[in-house]
Amino acid sequence: MTKTAFITGISGQDGSYLAELLLGKGYHVVGMVRRSPQDVYPRIEHLRDRITLVQADLTDQAGLIRVLSASQPDEVYNLGAQSFVAASWEQPVLTAETTGVGVARLLEAVRLVCPHARFYQASSSEMFGNAATTPQDENTPFHPRSPYGVAKAFGHHLTVNYRESFGLFACSGILFNHESPRRGREFVTRKISRQVACIRLGSEEQLRLGNLHARRDWGFAGDYVEAMWLMLQQESPRDFVVGTGVDHSVADFVEVAFAHAGLDWRRHVLIDETLKRPAEVDLLRADPTKACEELGWKLSVEFEALVRMMVDADTEEVNQAKGNA
Ligand code: NAP
Ligand code: F7E
Protein backbone atom coordinates (compact mmCIF):
# COMPACT_ATOMS: atom_id res chain seq x y z
CA MET A 1 0.00 0.00 0.00
CA THR A 2 1.24 3.51 -0.79
CA LYS A 3 2.48 5.32 2.31
CA THR A 4 1.73 9.00 2.90
CA ALA A 5 4.43 11.31 4.25
CA PHE A 6 3.60 14.76 5.59
CA ILE A 7 6.41 17.35 5.53
CA THR A 8 6.37 20.75 7.22
CA GLY A 9 8.97 23.09 5.74
CA ILE A 10 8.79 21.38 2.34
CA SER A 11 9.68 24.69 0.64
CA GLY A 12 13.04 24.78 2.47
CA GLN A 13 16.38 23.19 1.61
CA ASP A 14 15.84 19.89 3.45
CA GLY A 15 12.14 19.69 2.58
CA SER A 16 12.95 19.71 -1.13
CA TYR A 17 15.58 16.94 -0.85
CA LEU A 18 13.37 14.87 1.44
CA ALA A 19 10.41 15.16 -0.95
CA GLU A 20 12.61 13.92 -3.81
CA LEU A 21 13.85 11.01 -1.70
CA LEU A 22 10.35 9.95 -0.61
CA LEU A 23 8.89 10.27 -4.13
CA GLY A 24 11.69 7.99 -5.31
CA LYS A 25 10.60 5.44 -2.70
CA GLY A 26 6.98 5.55 -3.90
CA TYR A 27 5.46 7.68 -1.12
CA HIS A 28 2.52 10.01 -1.57
CA VAL A 29 4.05 13.30 -0.38
CA VAL A 30 1.94 15.98 1.28
CA GLY A 31 3.83 19.21 1.89
CA MET A 32 2.74 21.96 4.24
CA VAL A 33 3.43 25.50 3.04
CA ARG A 34 2.63 28.92 4.36
CA ARG A 35 0.24 30.87 2.17
CA SER A 36 2.20 32.87 -0.40
CA PRO A 37 0.49 35.40 -2.68
CA GLN A 38 2.78 34.32 -5.55
CA ASP A 39 2.09 30.60 -5.02
CA VAL A 40 5.68 29.92 -6.11
CA TYR A 41 8.06 27.73 -4.08
CA PRO A 42 11.32 27.73 -6.08
CA ARG A 43 12.99 24.68 -4.47
CA ILE A 44 10.02 22.40 -5.19
CA GLU A 45 8.60 23.80 -8.44
CA HIS A 46 10.08 20.81 -10.32
CA LEU A 47 8.04 18.47 -8.06
CA ARG A 48 4.73 20.37 -8.06
CA ASP A 49 2.82 17.91 -10.27
CA ARG A 50 3.90 14.95 -8.08
CA ILE A 51 3.18 16.28 -4.58
CA THR A 52 0.15 17.65 -2.75
CA LEU A 53 0.58 21.05 -1.11
CA VAL A 54 -1.62 22.10 1.81
CA GLN A 55 -1.59 25.50 3.51
CA ALA A 56 -1.09 25.87 7.27
CA ASP A 57 1.32 27.44 9.73
CA LEU A 58 3.18 26.10 12.77
CA THR A 59 1.79 29.01 14.79
CA ASP A 60 -1.83 27.95 14.15
CA GLN A 61 -3.07 24.89 16.09
CA ALA A 62 -6.42 24.52 14.32
CA GLY A 63 -4.79 24.60 10.88
CA LEU A 64 -2.39 21.79 11.83
CA ILE A 65 -5.27 19.62 13.05
CA ARG A 66 -7.18 20.36 9.84
CA VAL A 67 -4.37 19.41 7.42
CA LEU A 68 -3.33 16.29 9.34
CA SER A 69 -6.97 15.11 9.53
CA ALA A 70 -7.32 15.52 5.80
CA SER A 71 -4.06 13.73 4.90
CA GLN A 72 -3.91 10.96 7.57
CA PRO A 73 -0.15 10.44 7.11
CA ASP A 74 1.94 7.40 8.01
CA GLU A 75 5.01 9.57 8.63
CA VAL A 76 5.30 13.21 9.73
CA TYR A 77 8.55 15.13 9.23
CA ASN A 78 8.70 18.43 11.12
CA LEU A 79 11.25 20.49 9.19
CA GLY A 80 9.46 23.85 9.44
CA ALA A 81 11.21 26.46 11.58
CA GLN A 82 12.66 29.96 11.75
CA SER A 83 16.04 28.38 11.10
CA PHE A 84 18.47 31.32 10.84
CA VAL A 85 20.42 31.58 14.10
CA ALA A 86 21.42 35.25 13.63
CA ALA A 87 17.77 36.30 13.15
CA SER A 88 16.77 34.58 16.37
CA TRP A 89 18.28 37.42 18.46
CA GLU A 90 16.22 39.94 16.50
CA GLN A 91 13.02 37.87 16.59
CA PRO A 92 13.28 35.69 19.71
CA VAL A 93 9.54 35.45 20.31
CA LEU A 94 8.75 34.54 16.70
CA THR A 95 11.57 31.96 16.83
CA ALA A 96 10.18 30.49 20.07
CA GLU A 97 6.65 30.38 18.60
CA THR A 98 7.70 28.64 15.36
CA THR A 99 10.81 26.63 16.18
CA GLY A 100 9.83 25.75 19.76
CA VAL A 101 6.09 25.91 20.51
CA GLY A 102 5.36 24.91 16.89
CA VAL A 103 6.68 21.44 17.80
CA ALA A 104 4.18 21.26 20.68
CA ARG A 105 1.33 22.23 18.35
CA LEU A 106 2.31 19.63 15.78
CA LEU A 107 2.83 16.87 18.36
CA GLU A 108 -0.58 17.68 19.86
CA ALA A 109 -2.17 17.51 16.42
CA VAL A 110 -0.48 14.15 15.73
CA ARG A 111 -1.57 12.80 19.13
CA LEU A 112 -5.19 13.82 18.53
CA VAL A 113 -5.53 13.03 14.82
CA CYS A 114 -3.02 10.36 13.75
CA PRO A 115 -1.33 8.89 16.87
CA HIS A 116 0.00 5.94 14.90
CA ALA A 117 1.97 8.15 12.52
CA ARG A 118 5.75 8.12 12.96
CA PHE A 119 7.16 11.55 13.83
CA TYR A 120 10.55 13.09 12.98
CA GLN A 121 11.72 16.28 14.72
CA ALA A 122 14.47 18.35 13.05
CA SER A 123 16.67 19.01 16.07
CA SER A 124 20.00 20.77 15.78
CA SER A 125 23.62 20.74 16.91
CA GLU A 126 22.96 24.37 17.97
CA MET A 127 21.45 22.81 21.11
CA PHE A 128 24.99 21.80 22.16
CA GLY A 129 26.14 25.41 21.76
CA ASN A 130 28.99 25.98 24.16
CA ALA A 131 29.56 22.25 24.52
CA ALA A 132 31.76 21.00 27.36
CA THR A 133 33.17 18.15 25.23
CA THR A 134 34.06 17.53 21.59
CA PRO A 135 32.93 15.63 19.59
CA GLN A 136 29.24 15.75 20.54
CA ASP A 137 27.08 12.63 20.66
CA GLU A 138 23.58 11.69 21.88
CA ASN A 139 24.68 11.98 25.53
CA THR A 140 26.41 15.38 25.37
CA PRO A 141 24.61 17.95 27.58
CA PHE A 142 23.00 20.96 25.87
CA HIS A 143 24.20 24.53 26.43
CA PRO A 144 22.43 26.54 23.70
CA ARG A 145 23.90 29.95 22.87
CA SER A 146 21.07 31.51 20.82
CA PRO A 147 17.28 31.89 21.09
CA TYR A 148 17.17 29.45 18.16
CA GLY A 149 19.17 26.85 20.09
CA VAL A 150 16.95 27.33 23.13
CA ALA A 151 13.79 26.85 21.02
CA LYS A 152 15.24 23.70 19.40
CA ALA A 153 16.12 22.29 22.85
CA PHE A 154 12.46 22.72 23.86
CA GLY A 155 11.32 20.91 20.69
CA HIS A 156 13.81 18.11 21.28
CA HIS A 157 12.80 17.51 24.90
CA LEU A 158 9.10 17.65 24.02
CA THR A 159 9.58 15.05 21.27
CA VAL A 160 11.26 12.71 23.78
CA ASN A 161 8.51 13.51 26.29
CA TYR A 162 5.66 12.65 23.89
CA ARG A 163 7.39 9.35 23.12
CA GLU A 164 7.68 8.57 26.84
CA SER A 165 4.25 9.96 27.85
CA PHE A 166 1.99 8.84 25.02
CA GLY A 167 3.97 6.09 23.29
CA LEU A 168 4.27 8.07 20.03
CA PHE A 169 6.86 6.78 17.56
CA ALA A 170 8.72 10.08 17.84
CA CYS A 171 12.39 10.56 16.93
CA SER A 172 14.68 13.53 17.22
CA GLY A 173 17.49 13.85 14.68
CA ILE A 174 20.26 16.06 16.07
CA LEU A 175 21.70 17.20 12.76
CA PHE A 176 24.90 19.17 12.33
CA ASN A 177 25.21 21.84 9.59
CA HIS A 178 24.29 20.57 6.15
CA GLU A 179 24.48 22.58 2.99
CA SER A 180 23.82 22.44 -0.74
CA PRO A 181 23.18 24.66 -3.75
CA ARG A 182 19.63 24.99 -2.31
CA ARG A 183 20.85 26.48 0.98
CA GLY A 184 19.33 29.87 1.90
CA ARG A 185 21.62 32.72 0.85
CA GLU A 186 21.84 34.13 4.41
CA PHE A 187 23.80 31.11 5.71
CA VAL A 188 27.56 31.49 5.59
CA THR A 189 28.36 28.70 3.11
CA ARG A 190 25.89 29.88 0.48
CA LYS A 191 26.77 33.52 1.12
CA ILE A 192 30.38 32.63 0.31
CA SER A 193 29.66 30.43 -2.73
CA ARG A 194 27.27 33.01 -4.20
CA GLN A 195 29.65 35.93 -3.72
CA VAL A 196 32.62 33.95 -5.08
CA ALA A 197 30.55 33.30 -8.21
CA CYS A 198 29.71 37.02 -8.51
CA ILE A 199 33.35 38.06 -8.03
CA ARG A 200 34.50 35.44 -10.53
CA LEU A 201 32.03 36.79 -13.09
CA GLY A 202 32.96 40.40 -12.41
CA SER A 203 29.73 41.70 -10.87
CA GLU A 204 31.09 42.08 -7.29
CA GLU A 205 34.45 42.79 -5.67
CA GLN A 206 34.01 42.16 -1.95
CA LEU A 207 32.69 39.61 0.50
CA ARG A 208 31.85 40.87 4.01
CA LEU A 209 31.94 38.27 6.76
CA GLY A 210 31.81 38.10 10.56
CA ASN A 211 33.75 35.54 12.60
CA LEU A 212 36.09 33.53 10.34
CA HIS A 213 37.34 31.38 13.24
CA ALA A 214 34.06 29.57 14.04
CA ARG A 215 34.33 25.85 13.27
CA ARG A 216 31.45 23.70 12.03
CA ASP A 217 30.87 20.13 10.90
CA TRP A 218 29.54 20.69 7.36
CA GLY A 219 27.95 17.94 5.24
CA PHE A 220 25.73 17.67 2.16
CA ALA A 221 21.95 18.04 2.77
CA GLY A 222 21.08 15.23 0.36
CA ASP A 223 22.85 12.76 2.66
CA TYR A 224 21.10 14.04 5.79
CA VAL A 225 17.50 13.55 4.57
CA GLU A 226 18.35 9.87 4.11
CA ALA A 227 19.14 9.72 7.85
CA MET A 228 15.74 11.28 8.65
CA TRP A 229 13.94 8.61 6.67
CA LEU A 230 16.07 5.79 8.14
CA MET A 231 15.16 6.90 11.70
CA LEU A 232 11.47 6.37 10.96
CA GLN A 233 12.06 2.88 9.49
CA GLN A 234 13.54 1.40 12.69
CA GLU A 235 11.74 -1.05 14.99
CA SER A 236 11.74 1.40 17.89
CA PRO A 237 11.96 5.20 18.07
CA ARG A 238 15.36 6.61 19.07
CA ASP A 239 17.34 9.84 18.75
CA PHE A 240 20.47 10.17 16.62
CA VAL A 241 23.33 12.60 16.06
CA VAL A 242 24.09 13.06 12.34
CA GLY A 243 27.24 14.76 11.06
CA THR A 244 30.51 14.05 9.28
CA GLY A 245 32.81 13.85 12.32
CA VAL A 246 35.14 16.46 10.77
CA ASP A 247 35.19 20.19 11.50
CA HIS A 248 36.44 23.13 9.44
CA SER A 249 36.62 26.88 10.07
CA VAL A 250 34.70 29.49 8.09
CA ALA A 251 38.16 30.59 6.85
CA ASP A 252 38.76 27.06 5.48
CA PHE A 253 35.48 27.26 3.55
CA VAL A 254 36.47 30.68 2.18
CA GLU A 255 39.90 29.47 1.12
CA VAL A 256 38.64 26.38 -0.73
CA ALA A 257 35.81 28.32 -2.42
CA PHE A 258 38.03 31.17 -3.70
CA ALA A 259 40.80 28.77 -4.75
CA HIS A 260 38.29 26.72 -6.76
CA ALA A 261 37.36 29.89 -8.65
CA GLY A 262 41.06 30.74 -9.22
CA LEU A 263 40.87 33.73 -6.83
CA ASP A 264 42.97 34.88 -3.84
CA TRP A 265 40.52 35.36 -0.96
CA ARG A 266 42.78 37.91 0.80
CA ARG A 267 42.06 40.43 -1.95
CA HIS A 268 38.28 40.22 -1.52
CA VAL A 269 37.26 39.31 2.06
CA LEU A 270 36.50 42.06 4.60
CA ILE A 271 35.66 41.55 8.25
CA ASP A 272 32.45 43.31 9.26
CA GLU A 273 32.10 43.53 13.07
CA THR A 274 28.31 43.98 12.77
CA LEU A 275 28.06 40.41 11.42
CA LYS A 276 29.51 38.93 14.62
CA ARG A 277 26.94 37.34 16.96
CA PRO A 278 26.09 38.36 20.55
CA ALA A 279 27.14 34.84 21.63
CA GLU A 280 29.12 32.62 19.26
CA VAL A 281 29.34 28.84 19.04
CA ASP A 282 33.07 28.33 18.50
CA LEU A 283 33.25 24.64 17.65
CA LEU A 284 30.82 21.87 16.77
CA ARG A 285 31.88 18.41 15.64
CA ALA A 286 29.67 15.33 15.57
CA ASP A 287 30.34 11.81 16.73
CA PRO A 288 27.96 10.04 14.31
CA THR A 289 28.91 6.50 15.41
CA LYS A 290 25.38 5.54 16.50
CA ALA A 291 23.81 6.72 13.22
CA CYS A 292 26.47 4.89 11.17
CA GLU A 293 26.24 1.65 13.14
CA GLU A 294 22.51 1.44 13.92
CA LEU A 295 21.01 3.16 10.85
CA GLY A 296 23.71 2.14 8.39
CA TRP A 297 23.92 5.84 7.44
CA LYS A 298 26.78 6.88 5.12
CA LEU A 299 28.17 10.12 3.72
CA SER A 300 28.51 10.54 -0.01
CA VAL A 301 30.04 14.04 -0.26
CA GLU A 302 33.19 15.24 1.54
CA PHE A 303 33.90 18.85 2.57
CA GLU A 304 35.96 20.02 -0.42
CA ALA A 305 33.60 18.40 -2.92
CA LEU A 306 30.67 20.16 -1.19
CA VAL A 307 32.37 23.56 -1.47
CA ARG A 308 33.14 22.98 -5.15
CA MET A 309 29.58 21.79 -5.83
CA MET A 310 28.17 25.00 -4.31
CA VAL A 311 30.58 27.34 -6.12
CA ASP A 312 29.92 25.61 -9.46
CA ALA A 313 26.14 25.73 -9.01
CA ASP A 314 26.22 29.43 -8.10
CA THR A 315 28.54 30.21 -11.01
CA GLU A 316 26.08 28.61 -13.38
CA GLU A 317 23.11 30.38 -11.80
CA VAL A 318 24.77 33.83 -11.79
CA ASN A 319 25.96 33.31 -15.36
CA GLN A 320 22.46 32.41 -16.51
CA ALA A 321 20.97 35.41 -14.71
CA LYS A 322 23.51 37.67 -16.49
CA GLY A 323 22.60 36.12 -19.82
CA ASN A 324 18.91 36.75 -19.19
CA ALA A 325 19.43 40.37 -18.06
P1 NAP B 1 15.09 26.27 5.71
O1 NAP B 1 15.61 26.12 4.33
O2 NAP B 1 15.24 27.58 6.41
O3 NAP B 1 13.54 25.86 5.68
C1 NAP B 1 12.68 26.18 6.75
C2 NAP B 1 11.26 25.87 6.32
O4 NAP B 1 10.39 26.20 7.42
C3 NAP B 1 10.76 26.68 5.12
O5 NAP B 1 10.03 25.83 4.29
C4 NAP B 1 9.85 27.71 5.75
O6 NAP B 1 8.81 28.14 4.92
C5 NAP B 1 9.27 26.89 6.90
N1 NAP B 1 8.66 27.72 7.93
C6 NAP B 1 9.17 28.82 8.53
N2 NAP B 1 8.28 29.32 9.41
C7 NAP B 1 7.19 28.54 9.37
C8 NAP B 1 5.93 28.55 10.02
N3 NAP B 1 5.63 29.50 10.91
N4 NAP B 1 5.03 27.59 9.74
C9 NAP B 1 5.34 26.63 8.82
N5 NAP B 1 6.50 26.55 8.15
C10 NAP B 1 7.42 27.50 8.43
O7 NAP B 1 15.73 25.17 6.69
P2 NAP B 1 16.50 23.80 6.34
O8 NAP B 1 17.95 24.09 6.25
O9 NAP B 1 15.79 23.12 5.24
O10 NAP B 1 16.31 23.01 7.71
C11 NAP B 1 15.17 22.18 7.93
C12 NAP B 1 14.96 22.02 9.43
O11 NAP B 1 16.12 21.43 10.01
C13 NAP B 1 14.73 23.31 10.19
O12 NAP B 1 13.86 23.02 11.26
C14 NAP B 1 16.10 23.65 10.75
O13 NAP B 1 15.98 24.45 11.91
C15 NAP B 1 16.62 22.27 11.04
N6 NAP B 1 18.08 22.09 10.98
C16 NAP B 1 18.77 22.50 9.90
C17 NAP B 1 20.14 22.27 9.81
C18 NAP B 1 20.94 22.68 8.61
O14 NAP B 1 22.17 22.72 8.72
N7 NAP B 1 20.30 22.93 7.46
C19 NAP B 1 20.78 21.59 10.88
C20 NAP B 1 20.02 21.16 11.96
C21 NAP B 1 18.67 21.40 12.01
P3 NAP B 1 8.93 29.48 3.99
O15 NAP B 1 9.52 28.97 2.71
O16 NAP B 1 7.51 29.92 3.89
O17 NAP B 1 9.79 30.44 4.73
O1 F7E C 1 26.77 30.30 10.50
C1 F7E C 1 29.78 32.36 11.07
C2 F7E C 1 28.70 32.41 12.12
O2 F7E C 1 24.50 31.01 9.73
C3 F7E C 1 27.87 29.44 10.62
C4 F7E C 1 21.49 26.60 10.61
O3 F7E C 1 21.15 25.70 9.59
O4 F7E C 1 23.31 25.21 11.32
C5 F7E C 1 22.98 26.51 10.88
O5 F7E C 1 23.31 27.46 11.88
C6 F7E C 1 29.04 30.18 11.27
C7 F7E C 1 28.67 30.96 12.55
O6 F7E C 1 24.94 28.59 10.38
C8 F7E C 1 29.10 35.04 8.72
O7 F7E C 1 29.04 33.33 13.16
C9 F7E C 1 30.80 34.33 9.86
O8 F7E C 1 29.64 30.72 13.51
O9 F7E C 1 25.85 29.44 8.28
P1 F7E C 1 25.48 29.90 9.64
P2 F7E C 1 24.72 28.21 11.92
O10 F7E C 1 24.55 29.42 12.76
O11 F7E C 1 25.80 27.26 12.30
C10 F7E C 1 22.64 24.77 12.51
C11 F7E C 1 23.07 23.35 12.79
C12 F7E C 1 21.17 24.96 12.45
O12 F7E C 1 20.40 24.19 13.03
C13 F7E C 1 20.68 26.23 11.86
O13 F7E C 1 19.31 26.13 11.48
O14 F7E C 1 29.52 31.16 10.37
N1 F7E C 1 29.76 33.50 10.14
N2 F7E C 1 30.41 35.29 9.00
C14 F7E C 1 28.68 33.91 9.44
N3 F7E C 1 27.44 33.40 9.35
C15 F7E C 1 26.56 34.02 8.52
N4 F7E C 1 25.33 33.51 8.39
N5 F7E C 1 26.94 35.13 7.80
C16 F7E C 1 28.18 35.69 7.86
O15 F7E C 1 28.46 36.68 7.20
Side-chain angles (χ1 to χ4, degrees):
M1 227 179 65
T2 304
K3 279 191 185 176
T4 297
F6 182 94
I7 306 175
T8 73
I10 194 168
S11 58
Q13 170 187 258
D14 291 5
S16 67
Y17 283 109
L18 181 63
E20 282 171 6
L21 179 86
L22 296 175
L23 286 170
K25 294 184 183 294
Y27 280 72
H28 171 220
V29 174
V30 179
M32 188 182 104
V33 289
R34 297 194 280 182
R35 199 185 67 78
S36 137
Q38 288 83 23
D39 188 38
V40 175
Y41 305 96
R43 295 186 182 98
I44 50 169
E45 282 308 308
H46 63 296
L47 306 174
R48 278 295 278 269
D49 57 346
R50 295 194 284 148
I51 58 179
T52 304
L53 292 186
V54 294
Q55 289 184 356
D57 195 298
L58 285 165
T59 57
D60 176 28
Q61 181 76 69
L64 295 174
I65 292 174
R66 175 177 53 79
V67 291
L68 282 181
S69 297
S71 40
Q72 287 297 324
D74 300 287
E75 295 174 10
V76 175
Y77 295 86
N78 184 30
L79 309 187
Q82 189 303 92
S83 76
F84 187 36
V85 172
S88 75
W89 278 282
E90 277 154 24
Q91 301 189 313
V93 176
L94 175 87
T95 303
E97 278 293 346
T98 309
T99 307
V101 185
V103 185
R105 294 191 189 94
L106 192 62
L107 280 166
E108 269 300 274
V110 168
R111 185 172 77 85
L112 294 170
V113 168
C114 50
H116 300 296
R118 295 183 169 205
F119 181 87
Y120 173 83
Q121 168 57 18
S123 291
S124 164
S125 53
E126 269 294 303
M127 301 187 304
F128 295 125
N130 195 13
T133 52
T134 298
Q136 294 85 39
D137 66 15
E138 292 76 8
N139 299 313
T140 305
F142 298 155
H143 183 158
R145 296 271 284 169
S146 60
Y148 169 83
V150 173
K152 281 287 180 189
F154 172 80
H156 168 83
H157 286 304
L158 203 71
T159 301
V160 175
N161 179 259
Y162 268 54
R163 178 168 80 218
E164 293 175 354
S165 306
F166 303 116
L168 292 192
F169 193 111
C171 304
S172 172
I174 306 177
L175 272 49
F176 283 61
N177 299 52
H178 45 278
E179 320 293 314
S180 74
R182 298 183 197 169
R183 187 57 143 151
R185 287 188 203 167
E186 67 273 43
F187 298 95
V188 76
T189 56
R190 184 77 199 283
K191 181 174 173 182
I192 297 167
S193 63
R194 179 88 194 169
Q195 201 67 355
V196 164
C198 291
I199 294 170
R200 180 188 222 173
L201 297 170
S203 55
E204 293 284 347
E205 264 301 306
Q206 290 175 349
L207 167 59
R208 305 183 91 82
L209 291 171
N211 177 15
L212 294 186
H213 305 294
R215 301 186 75 87
R216 290 290 183 278
D217 178 330
W218 280 295
F220 170 56
D223 289 338
Y224 289 56
V225 299
E226 180 89 30
M228 297 175 189
W229 176 77
L230 284 168
M231 281 180 220
L232 297 199
Q233 312 314 308
Q234 303 304 301
E235 269 182 25
S236 59
R238 277 162 293 153
D239 307 321
F240 292 90
V241 155
V242 181
T244 69
V246 182
D247 63 273
H248 292 274
S249 66
V250 174
D252 294 338
F253 197 105
V254 164
E255 207 170 324
V256 175
F258 276 84
H260 183 56
L263 298 163
D264 178 358
W265 69 273
R266 290 172 203 81
R267 297 182 54 197
H268 302 281
V269 174
L270 297 177
I271 301 303
D272 181 341
E273 293 296 325
T274 66
L275 293 171
K276 293 189 176 168
R277 296 177 178 181
E280 179 61 279
V281 172
D282 296 324
L283 166 64
L284 289 173
R285 171 160 36 99
D287 175 355
T289 306
K290 183 177 172 192
C292 296
E293 288 181 357
E294 297 182 23
L295 299 176
W297 180 73
K298 285 200 273 308
L299 283 174
S300 72
V301 181
E302 305 287 342
F303 175 74
E304 296 208 354
L306 173 67
V307 181
R308 290 196 299 268
M309 176 206 294
M310 292 178 70
V311 170
D312 287 345
D314 270 321
T315 303
E316 200 179 316
E317 201 178 294
V318 174
N319 225 347
Q320 259 177 21
K322 281 180 98 175
N324 293 336

